[in-house]
Amino acid sequence: MSGMNKDTKAVIRRILSDIRVELGDEFDRNFERQAFFNDAWARRKSPTRPGGTILVDTGTLRRSIRSRTTDDSITFYTDLPYAAIHNDGGEIVVTEKMKRFFWHKYYEATGSFGRKKNGERRNDKRTRQLSTEADFWRFMALKRAGTTIRIPRRRFLGTGPEVERIVREIIEDNLNEYFNMDFSIERK
């Protein structure tokens, strides 16, 4: 940008700033939409959080999205190690450590069952849900080490037709504003 005049640099900085704000808001809204713009995320198969929002448990992933701007570019990113597998999808290989975690979650879920005075499980909604959750963790714990778990692609960052449209509109609006302002100054 060293060969550009002051006005051109200012327009480019304004364009990059507007893109950063607008796309940052849109990427955040993907979590509300539970979709990458119009491309809906795969529904959850796990009964551990029925009816809950996808990819939002603590909100850490959503809050981790950052952007970095240079003189001529913007980069959106997250530092969380699990963000890429959710954004791109893929497979995870089950390890012995994971199996121990699954057994821990199973025992945690079975210990929370509501019980009658005689020791039998209650047949209320919460106990039935916990039973389903316990069954899920037991199923996961019984997977052999070395088998894979498929994580579906749930994009929340990236490029696509909607991103390109937003960028194009921001550039056009800023350039129209710049040229209309420039012409009005020359006419006076």
Side-chain angles (χ1 to χ4, degrees):
M1 283 194 13
S2 61
M4 294 184 212
N5 70 27
K6 185 177 75 172
D7 290 340
T8 306
K9 287 180 185 179
V11 169
I12 291 173
R13 274 195 302 277
R14 190 174 330 117
I15 288 171
L16 290 175
S17 174
D18 290 353
I19 291 171
R20 183 179 187 176
V21 169
E22 185 64 30
L23 285 181
D25 289 345
E26 289 296 327
F27 291 148
D28 185 61
R29 276 190 218 118
N30 285 336
F31 289 90
E32 292 171 19
R33 292 187 280 256
Q34 296 189 32
F36 185 71
F37 295 92
N38 297 325
D39 186 17
W41 292 341
R43 302 311 308 164
R44 167 180 311 156
K45 293 180 183 174
S46 162
T48 57
R49 287 189 12 229
T53 55
I54 299 171
L55 294 186
V56 179
D57 187 14
T58 62
T60 303
L61 178 61
R62 185 177 185 174
R63 287 189 308 272
S64 74
I65 297 173
R66 306 273 184 262
S67 59
R68 180 177 25 231
T69 306
T70 63
D71 288 341
D72 58 357
S73 69
I74 303 170
T75 305
F76 287 90
Y77 65 97
T78 176
D79 292 335
L80 294 179
Y82 56 85
I85 193 81
H86 287 298
N87 197 50
D88 303 329
E91 293 183 346
I92 299 173
V93 178
V94 175
T95 64
E96 287 297 326
K97 185 176 181 180
M98 291 169 72
K99 290 173 59 72
R100 287 192 300 273
F101 173 77
F102 297 149
W103 278 120
H104 169 75
K105 296 299 282 184
Y106 168 74
Y107 290 122
E108 190 177 82
T110 57
S112 300
F113 288 146
R115 303 270 181 199
K116 296 179 184 176
K117 289 183 180 180
N118 65 2
E120 293 177 12
R121 275 196 239 165
R122 287 192 179 134
N123 194 19
D124 58 0
K125 183 178 177 183
R126 176 167 160 55
T127 303
R128 282 192 305 272
Q129 181 195 340
L130 284 172
S131 177
T132 305
E133 182 178 338
D135 289 343
F136 170 77
W137 289 119
R138 183 174 175 272
F139 170 77
M140 296 299 287
L142 290 174
K143 281 183 161 289
R144 286 192 324 261
T147 58
T148 58
I149 299 171
R150 188 182 159 290
I151 306 293
R153 180 181 189 189
R154 295 180 175 125
R155 285 182 69 194
F156 52 90
L157 284 179
T159 61
E162 296 87 359
V163 173
E164 292 172 8
R165 178 190 54 78
I166 291 168
V167 169
R168 186 176 43 254
E169 287 174 1
I170 290 171
I171 291 171
E172 288 172 358
D173 290 347
N174 276 280
L175 290 177
N176 285 335
E177 182 181 317
Y178 172 74
F179 287 118
N180 288 338
M181 182 179 66
D182 201 27
F183 284 131
S184 65
I185 291 172
E186 287 178 14
R187 290 182 187 149
K188 288 183 181 179

